[in-house]
Amino acid sequence: GDSVTQMEGPVTLSEEAFLTINCTYTATGYPSLFWYVQYPGEGLQLLLKATKADDKGSNKGFEATYRKETTSFHLEKGSVQVSDSAVYFCALSDLSGGSNYKLTFGKGTLLTVNP
Amino acid sequence: KAGVTQTPRYLIKTRGQQVTLSCSPISGHRSVSWYQQTPGQGLQFLFEYFSETQRNKGNFPGRFSGRQFSNSRSEMNVSTLELGDSALYLCASKRTSGYEQYFGPGTRLTVT
């Protein structure tokens, strides 16, 4: 079945540091890939997405590139801020085999950014 | 445009009771999915509804059920509550076309 593996952290960085959170996936078909962010006490917010190989999703300074050859979708940001402190989830949606819109999530990575 | 709304936000129930959670999707979205989030198991898919029909179901016991109404609002019900059902229950909606799911703030269920 489908699965997502991401570095679990926690990750602690100083403000303005470079961020990478690794994510790799296994899917039977050709999935769409997502990064979601969850702030304390809240639901999930879609951060960025990519629907085909070599697509680059970007939003709020975050980027991730869909790499089919390495089955990866690593999240990066050049300069993190204290307000980026949250839990980040990598997820996939595999539409193979018909109407299967369920999201499969990684376990989440807690990011803490210190001033 | 208003986002996904879920009610209630917090619930405390006793073992053996049943509970109903409600979700109103973004206007125009006809697909509604439910997820359970726990510290141990992470985010797990419960089921998805589209046009009042259940299209997909996750690996949960029959105590977990749901339905969708003609206005796309959805409810999920958990009967005979167990301590392990304590979790954040998240609802997400999606347009008919497109891939993105948009989540509500969740309902925090505590079973004592």
Side-chain angles (χ1 to χ4, degrees):
Chain A
D2 298 341
S3 67
V4 175
T5 303
Q6 65 178 102
M7 54 189 286
E8 292 189 24
V11 174
T12 302
L13 296 172
S14 297
E15 209 164 22
E16 300 183 4
F18 184 85
L19 169 71
T20 299
I21 301 177
N22 289 337
C23 171
T24 57
Y25 67 89
T26 302
T28 52
Y30 201 174
S32 294
L33 302 173
F34 307 88
W35 278 99
Y36 282 86
V37 58
Q38 186 174 36
Y39 297 100
E42 298 185 11
L44 301 177
Q45 294 180 25
L46 177 64
L47 183 59
L48 52 84
K49 73 177 192 296
T51 58
K52 62 183 187 297
D54 299 325
D55 263 2
K56 177 185 280 189
S58 61
N59 186 26
K60 300 181 182 179
F62 291 91
E63 292 183 339
T65 301
Y66 189 146
R67 301 286 187 203
K68 191 167 185 284
E69 64 275 13
T70 54
T71 61
S72 65
F73 193 54
H74 305 320
L75 182 68
E76 296 182 336
K77 187 175 185 183
S79 176
V80 294
Q81 306 300 312
V82 172
S83 57
D84 294 327
S85 298
V87 180
Y88 292 81
F89 293 92
C90 184
L92 70 81
S93 177
D94 190 349
L95 299 183
S96 63
S99 300
N100 183 6
Y101 294 102
K102 76 170 190 176
L103 286 167
T104 300
F105 288 91
K107 290 194 177 299
T109 301
L110 172 63
L111 170 66
T112 302
V113 180
N114 295 319
Chain B
K1 191 183 264 192
V4 178
T5 57
Q6 293 187 244
T7 56
R9 292 293 310 277
Y10 303 92
L11 264 180
I12 300 176
K13 291 286 189 179
T14 304
R15 267 182 304 175
Q17 288 186 315
Q18 76 165 18
V19 67
T20 299
L21 313 181
S22 181
C23 171
S24 292
I26 293 171
S27 177
H29 289 196
R30 292 165 62 191
S31 167
V32 174
S33 298
W34 289 88
Y35 295 83
Q36 181 196 64
Q37 185 177 24
T38 59
Q41 299 299 316
L43 282 151
Q44 294 186 284
F45 171 76
L46 281 155
F47 27 65
E48 187 231 357
Y49 285 86
F50 180 82
S51 291
E52 302 178 66
T53 300
Q54 186 182 88
R55 284 202 297 196
N56 287 287
K57 190 177 191 311
N59 250 355
F60 280 81
R63 300 185 297 107
F64 291 81
S65 63
R67 59 178 176 169
Q68 186 181 32
F69 302 94
S70 58
N71 61 358
S72 295
R73 190 177 70 84
S74 177
E75 289 181 347
M76 69 163 279
N77 184 78
V78 188
S79 62
T80 321
L81 283 165
E82 301 177 0
L83 294 179
D85 297 334
S86 294
L88 181 66
Y89 290 88
L90 293 162
C91 166
S93 74
K94 195 184 84 61
R95 290 182 289 119
T96 304
S97 61
Y99 304 93
E100 305 91 336
Q101 293 192 24
Y102 297 91
F103 285 79
T107 294
R108 172 74 62 185
L109 172 65
T110 303
V111 182
T112 62

